[in-house]
Amino acid sequence: GLKIGDTEVSIHVQDFTDKGSGSQEFKTGADLYISVVAESPDETINKGMIVQSKWEVDLRGSGKELMPQVGKMRARTPSSYVWGYGPAGIAVLPSTAVAPQRIDRSKEMTVGELIAAGLKCTEGDPQIARDLSLPPLQGLTKRMEELAADIGVAVNLKEIG
């Protein structure tokens, strides 16, 4: 419900807490789903992205656990990312920048840059977008279940002026 000029901003968060071989994450490789929606009277942008997050130290060798998760995410959508949590913050990498024993840091961005790119239509996949006919939290939960993600974040920008 935050208003910035002629734009209304809303953020919704939902999580599933299961872990292990029967968990949502095990099925898809992702532990986070991001929905970005920008609405104006002329156009609606609606896209989704999936993320696997790791501690930065676990990215260095592109460990044996990470690459299968990246492969599952890539099979779902090209809009898949790996986040590395470290002392300097979160490094966001497209899944294509992560390979066994190699990380392409030239493609690194911030979380804010990723979400902004989704709203600018340079990142994100409309095929995994949230169902806008449902209330935001319901649509978020439904897509999370379909994508088997443990945590979901929906960012909505709506032009109201």
XYZ file of all heavy atoms in Angstrom, residues 30-131:
766
model
N 14.626 -24.854 -6.992
C 14.487 -23.463 -6.553
C 13.978 -23.408 -5.119
O 13.193 -24.244 -4.696
C 13.512 -22.720 -7.462
N 14.442 -22.384 -4.401
C 13.877 -22.180 -3.077
C 13.188 -20.831 -2.946
O 12.678 -20.499 -1.892
C 14.918 -22.371 -1.969
C 16.180 -21.562 -2.142
O 16.194 -20.598 -2.918
O 17.170 -21.904 -1.493
N 13.157 -20.060 -4.050
C 12.506 -18.759 -4.023
C 11.846 -18.483 -5.371
O 12.440 -18.758 -6.413
C 13.542 -17.662 -3.727
C 13.101 -16.202 -3.814
C 12.051 -15.880 -2.756
C 14.304 -15.288 -3.657
N 10.628 -17.968 -5.324
C 9.917 -17.516 -6.517
C 9.679 -16.020 -6.374
O 9.235 -15.555 -5.327
C 8.567 -18.239 -6.659
C 7.655 -17.626 -7.701
C 7.978 -17.679 -9.047
C 6.495 -16.970 -7.324
C 7.150 -17.094 -10.007
C 5.657 -16.396 -8.273
C 5.998 -16.458 -9.609
O 5.189 -15.880 -10.563
N 9.996 -15.268 -7.426
C 9.772 -13.826 -7.427
C 8.764 -13.492 -8.523
O 8.935 -13.898 -9.671
C 11.074 -13.048 -7.691
C 12.116 -13.374 -6.629
C 10.803 -11.543 -7.740
C 13.496 -12.813 -6.934
N 7.729 -12.769 -8.157
C 6.729 -12.286 -9.100
C 6.857 -10.776 -9.185
O 6.870 -10.098 -8.154
C 5.329 -12.656 -8.593
O 4.333 -11.905 -9.247
N 6.985 -10.252 -10.399
C 7.009 -8.805 -10.598
C 5.869 -8.422 -11.528
O 5.685 -9.022 -12.579
C 8.361 -8.286 -11.145
C 9.444 -8.406 -10.103
C 8.773 -9.003 -12.397
N 5.079 -7.448 -11.100
C 3.944 -6.971 -11.891
C 3.994 -5.451 -11.902
O 4.099 -4.819 -10.850
C 2.597 -7.447 -11.295
C 1.429 -6.879 -12.087
C 2.529 -8.966 -11.250
N 3.926 -4.885 -13.088
C 3.839 -3.429 -13.247
C 2.593 -3.155 -14.078
O 2.456 -3.666 -15.186
C 5.084 -2.875 -13.927
N 1.666 -2.375 -13.519
C 0.404 -2.083 -14.204
C 0.279 -0.591 -14.467
O 0.555 0.225 -13.590
C -0.778 -2.521 -13.341
C -0.843 -4.005 -13.064
C -1.997 -4.333 -12.144
O -3.137 -4.396 -12.645
O -1.752 -4.513 -10.943
N -0.148 -0.276 -15.672
C -0.501 1.094 -16.023
C -1.802 1.016 -16.813
O -2.224 -0.072 -17.192
C 0.606 1.748 -16.859
O 0.599 1.240 -18.177
N -2.440 2.122 -17.090
C -3.669 2.060 -17.885
C -3.448 1.456 -19.272
O -4.349 0.865 -19.845
C -4.093 3.530 -17.995
C -3.487 4.191 -16.808
C -2.191 3.473 -16.573
N -2.227 1.558 -19.797
C -1.951 1.082 -21.156
C -1.370 -0.321 -21.233
O -1.466 -0.968 -22.273
C -0.964 2.032 -21.854
C -1.481 3.458 -21.913
O -2.707 3.626 -22.034
O -0.663 4.377 -21.810
N -0.737 -0.797 -20.154
C 0.014 -2.043 -20.253
C 0.165 -2.696 -18.892
O 0.249 -2.021 -17.875
C 1.403 -1.719 -20.837
C 2.310 -2.897 -21.009
C 3.675 -2.510 -21.561
O 4.081 -1.339 -21.431
O 4.332 -3.388 -22.115
N 0.228 -4.032 -18.890
C 0.561 -4.791 -17.687
C 1.740 -5.695 -18.005
O 1.704 -6.453 -18.970
C -0.631 -5.649 -17.204
O -1.698 -4.773 -16.840
C -0.263 -6.504 -16.015
N 2.782 -5.594 -17.189
C 3.941 -6.479 -17.288
C 3.820 -7.452 -16.135
O 3.672 -7.048 -14.983
C 5.250 -5.677 -17.195
C 5.356 -4.703 -18.355
C 6.447 -6.621 -17.150
C 6.441 -3.665 -18.176
N 3.878 -8.745 -16.417
C 3.693 -9.777 -15.402
C 4.684 -10.900 -15.693
O 4.551 -11.607 -16.689
C 2.247 -10.286 -15.443
C 1.957 -11.319 -14.380
O 2.731 -11.524 -13.444
N 0.822 -11.983 -14.520
N 5.686 -11.043 -14.829
C 6.733 -12.036 -15.052
C 7.103 -12.727 -13.751
O 6.819 -12.230 -12.668
C 7.978 -11.367 -15.625
C 7.774 -10.825 -17.026
C 9.076 -10.330 -17.568
C 8.955 -10.024 -19.037
N 10.250 -9.798 -19.640
N 7.760 -13.853 -13.898
C 8.248 -14.589 -12.746
C 9.692 -15.005 -12.924
O 10.202 -15.070 -14.050
N 10.338 -15.282 -11.792
C 11.727 -15.742 -11.769
C 11.880 -16.735 -10.626
O 11.154 -16.636 -9.633
C 12.674 -14.566 -11.517
C 12.568 -13.452 -12.535
S 13.581 -12.036 -12.065
C 12.315 -10.793 -11.845
N 12.798 -17.687 -10.776
C 13.080 -18.617 -9.685
C 14.551 -18.521 -9.290
O 15.409 -18.200 -10.112
C 12.673 -20.073 -10.016
C 13.334 -20.576 -11.299
C 11.161 -20.189 -10.088
C 13.027 -22.040 -11.611
N 14.811 -18.800 -8.008
C 16.132 -18.573 -7.428
C 16.535 -19.751 -6.545
O 15.719 -20.275 -5.798
C 16.125 -17.292 -6.556
C 17.457 -17.088 -5.853
C 15.737 -16.074 -7.379
N 17.806 -20.113 -6.611
C 18.433 -21.005 -5.636
C 19.437 -20.145 -4.876
O 20.256 -19.463 -5.496
C 19.150 -22.159 -6.314
C 19.939 -23.075 -5.396
C 19.153 -23.631 -4.222
O 19.520 -23.405 -3.073
N 18.069 -24.325 -4.492
N 19.345 -20.129 -3.561
C 20.261 -19.302 -2.784
C 21.229 -20.181 -2.001
O 20.860 -21.246 -1.511
C 19.496 -18.362 -1.859
O 18.595 -19.073 -1.060
N 22.466 -19.695 -1.924
C 23.540 -20.411 -1.242
C 24.410 -19.410 -0.502
O 24.454 -18.226 -0.851
C 24.445 -21.150 -2.246
C 23.771 -22.227 -3.040
C 23.497 -23.425 -2.188
C 22.926 -24.558 -3.021
N 22.264 -25.537 -2.185
N 25.169 -19.883 0.454
C 26.212 -19.058 1.029
C 27.285 -18.908 -0.036
O 27.570 -19.833 -0.795
C 26.793 -19.686 2.287
C 25.811 -19.690 3.424
C 25.181 -20.769 3.953
C 25.341 -18.550 4.142
N 24.337 -20.377 4.951
C 24.418 -19.016 5.102
C 25.601 -17.184 4.081
C 23.759 -18.158 5.978
C 24.950 -16.330 4.963
C 24.042 -16.821 5.906
N 27.877 -17.741 -0.113
C 28.912 -17.436 -1.118
C 30.008 -18.500 -1.140
O 30.467 -18.915 -2.196
C 29.504 -16.053 -0.830
C 30.566 -15.626 -1.789
C 30.050 -14.745 -2.899
O 28.927 -14.231 -2.817
O 30.799 -14.587 -3.860
N 30.398 -18.970 0.025
C 31.455 -19.978 0.104
C 31.052 -21.267 -0.624
O 31.891 -21.958 -1.188
C 31.853 -20.232 1.584
C 30.735 -20.931 2.343
C 33.148 -20.987 1.676
N 29.759 -21.567 -0.665
C 29.283 -22.779 -1.342
C 29.252 -22.628 -2.858
O 29.085 -23.615 -3.578
C 27.892 -23.161 -0.830
C 27.909 -23.568 0.633
O 28.954 -24.065 1.102
O 26.886 -23.371 1.310
N 29.395 -21.407 -3.359
C 29.428 -21.183 -4.801
C 30.819 -21.389 -5.382
O 30.960 -21.667 -6.563
C 28.986 -19.748 -5.141
C 27.565 -19.368 -4.816
C 27.328 -17.921 -5.212
C 26.590 -20.274 -5.514
N 31.832 -21.222 -4.572
C 33.210 -21.217 -5.082
C 33.550 -22.454 -5.882
O 34.179 -22.376 -6.921
C 34.188 -21.010 -3.940
C 34.063 -19.607 -3.396
C 35.272 -19.178 -2.603
N 35.026 -17.834 -2.100
C 34.785 -17.544 -0.842
N 34.766 -18.487 0.069
N 34.560 -16.302 -0.478
N 33.139 -23.611 -5.433
C 33.442 -24.830 -6.177
C 32.256 -25.306 -6.995
O 32.293 -26.373 -7.573
N 31.195 -24.478 -7.052
C 29.953 -24.891 -7.714
C 29.623 -26.325 -7.314
O 29.488 -27.211 -8.143
C 30.068 -24.747 -9.230
O 30.269 -23.413 -9.579
N 29.544 -26.538 -6.022
C 29.402 -27.846 -5.400
C 28.485 -28.847 -6.071
O 27.651 -28.512 -6.895
N 28.670 -30.099 -5.684
C 27.900 -31.187 -6.292
C 26.405 -31.046 -6.043
O 25.614 -31.573 -6.790
C 28.429 -32.540 -5.807
C 28.444 -32.709 -4.322
C 29.109 -34.010 -3.941
C 29.367 -34.012 -2.439
N 30.176 -35.099 -2.028
N 26.005 -30.319 -5.021
C 24.578 -30.097 -4.769
C 24.019 -28.990 -5.663
O 22.889 -29.060 -6.129
C 24.384 -29.708 -3.299
C 22.942 -29.479 -2.920
C 22.807 -29.041 -1.466
O 23.216 -29.792 -0.570
O 22.274 -27.941 -1.256
N 24.807 -27.950 -5.929
C 24.325 -26.795 -6.669
C 24.020 -27.098 -8.127
O 22.982 -26.682 -8.650
C 25.334 -25.645 -6.580
C 24.974 -24.370 -7.345
C 23.666 -23.779 -6.843
C 26.103 -23.349 -7.237
N 24.884 -27.795 -8.823
C 24.695 -27.996 -10.262
C 23.415 -28.772 -10.600
O 22.708 -28.389 -11.530
C 25.932 -28.641 -10.894
C 27.136 -27.689 -10.956
S 26.763 -25.983 -11.488
C 26.107 -26.246 -13.112
N 23.046 -29.825 -9.861
C 21.749 -30.458 -10.148
C 20.571 -29.506 -9.921
O 19.592 -29.520 -10.667
C 21.696 -31.645 -9.182
C 23.128 -31.951 -8.892
C 23.826 -30.621 -8.907
N 20.660 -28.648 -8.884
C 19.595 -27.677 -8.628
C 19.507 -26.670 -9.769
O 18.417 -26.340 -10.235
C 19.846 -26.962 -7.294
C 19.671 -27.870 -6.103
C 20.165 -27.246 -4.816
O 21.161 -26.519 -4.795
N 19.475 -27.545 -3.724
N 20.658 -26.198 -10.249
C 20.692 -25.263 -11.372
C 20.097 -25.922 -12.615
O 19.312 -25.311 -13.345
C 22.142 -24.765 -11.625
C 22.273 -24.089 -12.979
C 22.569 -23.814 -10.514
N 20.436 -27.178 -12.855
C 19.881 -27.899 -14.013
C 18.367 -28.012 -13.956
O 17.682 -27.822 -14.970
N 17.819 -28.286 -12.775
C 16.362 -28.375 -12.620
C 15.699 -27.024 -12.876
O 14.650 -26.949 -13.514
C 16.006 -28.875 -11.218
C 16.319 -30.332 -10.991
C 16.044 -30.718 -9.547
C 16.480 -32.127 -9.261
N 16.280 -32.491 -7.851
N 16.333 -25.962 -12.365
C 15.766 -24.627 -12.582
C 15.797 -24.264 -14.062
O 14.811 -23.774 -14.605
C 16.526 -23.571 -11.774
C 16.280 -23.642 -10.288
S 16.874 -22.186 -9.380
C 18.535 -21.976 -9.965
N 16.918 -24.503 -14.721
C 17.030 -24.187 -16.152
C 16.019 -24.964 -16.981
O 15.526 -24.463 -17.985
C 18.431 -24.504 -16.655
C 19.458 -23.495 -16.266
C 20.773 -23.818 -16.954
N 21.865 -23.143 -16.291
C 23.099 -23.587 -16.260
N 23.421 -24.703 -16.881
N 24.032 -22.902 -15.643
N 15.702 -26.189 -16.551
C 14.702 -26.985 -17.262
C 13.314 -26.353 -17.145
O 12.476 -26.515 -18.029
C 14.682 -28.423 -16.732
N 13.071 -25.637 -16.057
C 11.791 -24.962 -15.847
C 11.677 -23.664 -16.619
O 10.653 -23.359 -17.202
C 11.602 -24.621 -14.362
C 11.258 -25.759 -13.494
C 9.776 -25.998 -13.583
N 9.461 -27.180 -12.829
C 8.340 -27.352 -12.186
N 7.430 -26.422 -12.210
N 8.127 -28.458 -11.553
N 12.760 -22.845 -16.574
C 12.712 -21.515 -17.166
C 14.114 -20.959 -17.355
O 14.987 -21.216 -16.519
C 11.902 -20.537 -16.280
O 11.941 -19.238 -16.875
C 12.432 -20.456 -14.876
N 14.310 -20.183 -18.404
C 15.593 -19.497 -18.536
C 15.745 -18.377 -17.498
O 16.846 -17.895 -17.266
C 15.563 -18.924 -19.963
C 14.125 -18.877 -20.337
C 13.431 -19.959 -19.558
N 14.655 -17.982 -16.872
C 14.687 -16.923 -15.851
C 14.944 -17.533 -14.481
O 14.125 -17.443 -13.565
C 13.383 -16.135 -15.868
O 13.290 -15.407 -17.054
N 16.104 -18.177 -14.368
C 16.511 -18.789 -13.109
C 17.855 -18.208 -12.691
O 18.704 -17.907 -13.530
C 16.571 -20.312 -13.249
O 17.425 -20.698 -14.302
N 18.015 -18.066 -11.385
C 19.152 -17.323 -10.846
C 19.716 -18.023 -9.620
O 19.019 -18.780 -8.946
C 18.718 -15.895 -10.460
C 18.081 -15.200 -11.627
C 16.714 -15.351 -11.896
C 18.840 -14.453 -12.518
C 16.135 -14.766 -13.010
C 18.264 -13.856 -13.629
C 16.912 -14.025 -13.873
O 16.340 -13.456 -14.982
N 20.976 -17.727 -9.332
C 21.630 -18.205 -8.120
C 22.027 -16.971 -7.323
O 22.627 -16.043 -7.869
C 22.868 -19.066 -8.449
C 23.598 -19.459 -7.173
C 22.455 -20.314 -9.242
N 21.653 -16.967 -6.052
C 22.033 -15.880 -5.163
C 23.095 -16.400 -4.215
O 22.923 -17.457 -3.597
C 20.843 -15.396 -4.333
C 19.805 -14.649 -5.118
C 19.728 -14.489 -6.469
C 18.675 -13.970 -4.583
N 18.628 -13.756 -6.807
C 17.961 -13.419 -5.668
C 18.204 -13.777 -3.295
C 16.799 -12.683 -5.497
C 17.032 -13.044 -3.124
C 16.341 -12.494 -4.212
N 24.196 -15.656 -4.084
C 25.250 -15.998 -3.139
C 25.275 -14.999 -2.002
O 25.501 -13.812 -2.220
N 25.003 -15.485 -0.780
C 25.006 -14.621 0.405
C 26.418 -14.547 0.963
O 27.030 -15.581 1.236
C 24.058 -15.181 1.481
C 22.615 -15.094 1.106
C 22.002 -16.101 0.366
C 21.853 -13.998 1.484
C 20.661 -16.023 0.012
C 20.509 -13.906 1.134
C 19.927 -14.928 0.406
O 18.603 -14.837 0.058
N 26.941 -13.339 1.102
C 28.290 -13.162 1.612
C 28.403 -11.924 2.465
O 27.428 -11.198 2.646
N 29.609 -11.648 2.960
C 29.798 -10.493 3.844
C 29.507 -9.162 3.168
O 29.143 -8.194 3.824
C 31.271 -10.586 4.260
C 31.889 -11.647 3.433
C 30.816 -12.427 2.773
N 29.625 -9.105 1.845
C 29.378 -7.847 1.122
C 27.929 -7.723 0.661
O 27.573 -6.751 0.008
C 30.316 -7.747 -0.083
N 27.096 -8.697 0.950
C 25.694 -8.665 0.524
C 25.344 -9.880 -0.308
O 25.939 -10.943 -0.160
N 24.382 -9.708 -1.195
C 23.900 -10.812 -2.028
C 24.364 -10.602 -3.461
O 24.069 -9.567 -4.062
C 22.360 -10.906 -1.993
C 21.863 -11.092 -0.557
C 21.873 -12.060 -2.884
C 20.348 -10.973 -0.417
N 25.078 -11.573 -4.000
C 25.484 -11.554 -5.407
C 24.455 -12.349 -6.195
O 24.180 -13.497 -5.876
C 26.864 -12.181 -5.571
N 23.852 -11.736 -7.200
C 22.849 -12.389 -8.035
C 23.491 -12.755 -9.367
O 24.062 -11.909 -10.038
C 21.639 -11.455 -8.276
C 20.635 -12.106 -9.211
C 20.981 -11.092 -6.952
N 23.367 -14.020 -9.734
C 23.930 -14.515 -10.989
C 22.862 -15.246 -11.785
O 22.121 -16.058 -11.221
C 25.074 -15.495 -10.709
C 26.296 -14.914 -10.032
C 27.090 -16.002 -9.337
C 27.152 -14.192 -11.048
N 22.765 -15.004 -13.090
C 21.896 -15.845 -13.903
C 22.400 -17.286 -13.800
O 23.615 -17.515 -13.684
C 22.081 -15.318 -15.327
C 22.768 -13.996 -15.190
C 23.487 -14.011 -13.881
N 21.505 -18.257 -13.831
C 21.943 -19.650 -13.695
C 22.924 -20.041 -14.791
O 23.763 -20.914 -14.596
C 20.739 -20.593 -13.673
O 20.067 -20.555 -14.917
N 22.851 -19.375 -15.945
C 23.775 -19.672 -17.036
C 25.203 -19.235 -16.720
O 26.138 -19.656 -17.400
C 23.320 -18.990 -18.344
O 23.162 -17.588 -18.085
C 22.014 -19.579 -18.844
N 25.375 -18.398 -15.695
C 26.717 -17.953 -15.310
C 27.371 -18.909 -14.317
O 28.505 -18.702 -13.901
C 26.646 -16.548 -14.707
N 26.654 -19.971 -13.945
C 27.151 -20.930 -12.964
C 27.385 -22.263 -13.663
O 26.474 -22.837 -14.253
C 26.135 -21.105 -11.811
C 26.623 -22.119 -10.798
C 25.849 -19.759 -11.150
N 28.634 -22.727 -13.601
C 29.006 -24.005 -14.207
C 29.917 -24.742 -13.230
O 30.461 -24.126 -12.313
C 29.714 -23.771 -15.542
N 30.090 -26.046 -13.410
C 30.994 -26.774 -12.508
C 32.378 -26.113 -12.488
O 32.956 -25.847 -13.542
C 31.069 -28.178 -13.118
C 29.813 -28.304 -13.914
C 29.516 -26.907 -14.425
N 32.832 -25.795 -11.302
C 34.157 -25.216 -11.078
C 34.356 -23.837 -11.703
O 35.482 -23.380 -11.847
C 35.256 -26.174 -11.569
C 35.164 -27.578 -11.008
C 35.197 -27.601 -9.481
O 35.959 -26.877 -8.857
N 34.337 -28.407 -8.877
N 33.263 -23.161 -12.143
C 33.421 -21.846 -12.768
C 32.181 -20.997 -12.517
O 31.061 -21.443 -12.717
C 33.617 -22.007 -14.279
C 33.874 -20.691 -14.994
C 33.846 -20.852 -16.512
N 32.572 -21.310 -17.049
C 31.488 -20.534 -17.212
N 31.505 -19.277 -16.874
N 30.373 -21.032 -17.727
N 32.413 -19.755 -12.104
C 31.348 -18.769 -11.940
C 31.735 -17.567 -12.800
O 32.840 -17.045 -12.678
C 31.219 -18.302 -10.468
C 30.983 -19.478 -9.537
C 30.163 -17.227 -10.333
C 29.575 -19.903 -9.357
N 30.841 -17.122 -13.674
C 31.100 -15.958 -14.515
C 30.606 -14.711 -13.785
O 29.435 -14.351 -13.862
C 30.399 -16.121 -15.868
C 30.636 -14.952 -16.802
O 31.330 -13.980 -16.403
O 30.123 -14.995 -17.929
N 31.500 -14.042 -13.075
C 31.153 -12.868 -12.270
C 30.835 -11.641 -13.119
O 30.303 -10.662 -12.605
C 32.296 -12.533 -11.309
C 32.534 -13.589 -10.264
C 31.504 -13.477 -9.192
N 31.746 -14.458 -8.152
C 31.064 -14.529 -7.050
N 30.092 -13.666 -6.828
N 31.306 -15.436 -6.159
N 31.133 -11.670 -14.414
C 30.843 -10.500 -15.254
C 29.334 -10.276 -15.399
O 28.901 -9.202 -15.771
C 31.490 -10.659 -16.634
O 30.836 -11.677 -17.385
N 28.517 -11.283 -15.094
C 27.064 -11.178 -15.216
C 26.388 -10.873 -13.875
O 25.180 -10.852 -13.766
C 26.515 -12.484 -15.786
C 27.170 -12.909 -17.086
C 26.152 -13.170 -18.131
C 26.688 -13.754 -19.397
N 27.677 -13.030 -20.120
N 27.183 -10.657 -12.834
C 26.675 -10.432 -11.485
C 25.870 -9.135 -11.390
O 26.180 -8.145 -12.036
C 27.857 -10.372 -10.513
C 27.472 -10.352 -9.065
C 28.687 -10.456 -8.160
O 29.576 -11.296 -8.419
O 28.723 -9.683 -7.188
N 24.801 -9.173 -10.600
C 23.968 -7.998 -10.348
C 23.475 -8.035 -8.911
O 23.740 -8.994 -8.188
C 22.813 -7.940 -11.348
C 21.844 -9.107 -11.279
S 20.576 -9.051 -12.563
C 20.984 -10.520 -13.491
N 22.741 -7.012 -8.507
C 22.145 -6.978 -7.174
C 20.691 -7.454 -7.257
O 20.113 -7.537 -8.345
C 22.160 -5.552 -6.587
O 21.276 -4.734 -7.363
C 23.564 -4.966 -6.573
N 20.092 -7.710 -6.106
C 18.676 -8.091 -6.060
C 17.819 -6.976 -6.653
O 16.915 -7.216 -7.446
C 18.239 -8.412 -4.612
C 16.733 -8.627 -4.530
C 18.983 -9.632 -4.091
N 18.116 -5.738 -6.297
C 17.364 -4.596 -6.826
C 17.480 -4.493 -8.336
O 16.492 -4.220 -9.027
N 18.677 -4.722 -8.863
C 18.866 -4.684 -10.319
C 18.065 -5.788 -11.005
O 17.488 -5.573 -12.069
C 20.349 -4.804 -10.671
C 21.152 -3.574 -10.320
C 22.655 -3.769 -10.415
O 23.141 -4.914 -10.271
O 23.341 -2.759 -10.625
N 18.007 -6.967 -10.386
C 17.232 -8.077 -10.963
C 15.745 -7.729 -11.022
O 15.093 -7.900 -12.051
C 17.447 -9.359 -10.160
C 16.627 -10.566 -10.598
C 16.972 -10.998 -12.012
C 16.804 -11.721 -9.615
N 15.195 -7.229 -9.920
C 13.771 -6.889 -9.886
C 13.478 -5.735 -10.845
O 12.492 -5.759 -11.581
C 13.312 -6.601 -8.445
C 13.360 -7.927 -7.652
C 11.914 -5.996 -8.407
C 13.142 -7.809 -6.180
N 14.345 -4.734 -10.868
C 14.159 -3.619 -11.799
C 14.203 -4.111 -13.241
O 13.400 -3.681 -14.081
C 15.228 -2.553 -11.571
N 15.104 -5.051 -13.549
C 15.191 -5.612 -14.905
C 13.912 -6.369 -15.262
O 13.456 -6.335 -16.408
C 16.410 -6.512 -15.029
N 13.309 -7.039 -14.278
C 12.030 -7.704 -14.521
C 10.941 -6.716 -14.881
O 10.155 -6.932 -15.804
N 10.917 -5.594 -14.188
C 9.916 -4.566 -14.465
C 10.181 -3.850 -15.787
O 9.259 -3.338 -16.414
C 9.852 -3.567 -13.308
C 9.334 -4.157 -11.991
C 9.567 -3.192 -10.849
C 7.870 -4.537 -12.095
N 11.441 -3.833 -16.221
C 11.793 -3.220 -17.510
C 11.657 -4.216 -18.665
O 11.957 -3.886 -19.798
C 13.238 -2.720 -17.480
C 13.475 -1.553 -16.581
C 14.965 -1.215 -16.601
C 15.317 -0.233 -15.530
N 16.774 -0.057 -15.417
N 11.254 -5.440 -18.359
C 11.074 -6.500 -19.360
C 12.378 -7.048 -19.926
O 12.382 -7.653 -20.987
C 10.187 -6.042 -20.521
S 8.466 -6.019 -20.079
N 13.501 -6.861 -19.240
C 14.744 -7.457 -19.716
C 15.085 -8.741 -18.967
O 15.998 -9.461 -19.363
C 15.917 -6.458 -19.606
O 16.054 -6.040 -18.247
C 15.685 -5.248 -20.509
N 14.381 -9.035 -17.894
C 14.525 -10.288 -17.148
C 13.133 -10.775 -16.788
O 12.177 -10.018 -16.769
C 15.344 -10.089 -15.859
C 16.778 -9.667 -16.062
C 17.679 -10.756 -16.608
O 17.363 -11.953 -16.457
O 18.717 -10.409 -17.203
N 13.020 -12.059 -16.491
C 11.750 -12.632 -16.084
C 11.087 -13.394 -17.206
O 11.404 -13.210 -18.373
N 10.186 -14.285 -16.819
C 9.527 -15.178 -17.764
C 8.010 -15.060 -17.604
O 7.469 -15.396 -16.554
C 9.985 -16.610 -17.480
C 9.420 -17.637 -18.439
O 8.572 -17.295 -19.284
O 9.838 -18.807 -18.340
N 7.306 -14.600 -18.650
C 5.843 -14.520 -18.551
C 5.183 -15.894 -18.407
O 4.062 -15.997 -17.929
C 5.414 -13.830 -19.847
C 6.608 -13.729 -20.704
C 7.821 -14.068 -19.899
N 5.901 -16.968 -18.792
C 5.336 -18.319 -18.679
C 5.178 -18.769 -17.225
O 4.400 -19.671 -16.944
C 6.225 -19.330 -19.430
C 6.303 -19.077 -20.921
C 4.949 -19.216 -21.602
O 4.172 -20.100 -21.288
N 4.681 -18.313 -22.528
N 5.924 -18.161 -16.313
C 5.783 -18.516 -14.894
C 5.248 -17.326 -14.086
O 5.451 -17.233 -12.883
C 7.086 -19.079 -14.291
C 8.226 -18.061 -14.342
C 7.475 -20.390 -14.956
C 9.449 -18.455 -13.526
N 4.557 -16.436 -14.769
C 3.966 -15.269 -14.108
C 2.816 -15.699 -13.199
O 2.223 -16.763 -13.367
C 3.464 -14.282 -15.156
N 2.500 -14.851 -12.262
C 1.407 -15.072 -11.317
C 0.063 -14.827 -11.987
O -0.062 -13.974 -12.869
C 1.616 -14.099 -10.147
C 0.692 -14.263 -9.000
C 1.187 -13.482 -7.789
N 1.749 -12.176 -8.070
C 1.026 -11.052 -8.095
N -0.259 -11.080 -7.880
N 1.609 -9.894 -8.333
N -0.956 -15.563 -11.581
C -2.322 -15.411 -12.086
C -2.930 -14.146 -11.484
O -3.248 -14.100 -10.295
C -3.149 -16.643 -11.719
C -4.575 -16.602 -12.222
O -5.024 -15.547 -12.721
O -5.250 -17.644 -12.108
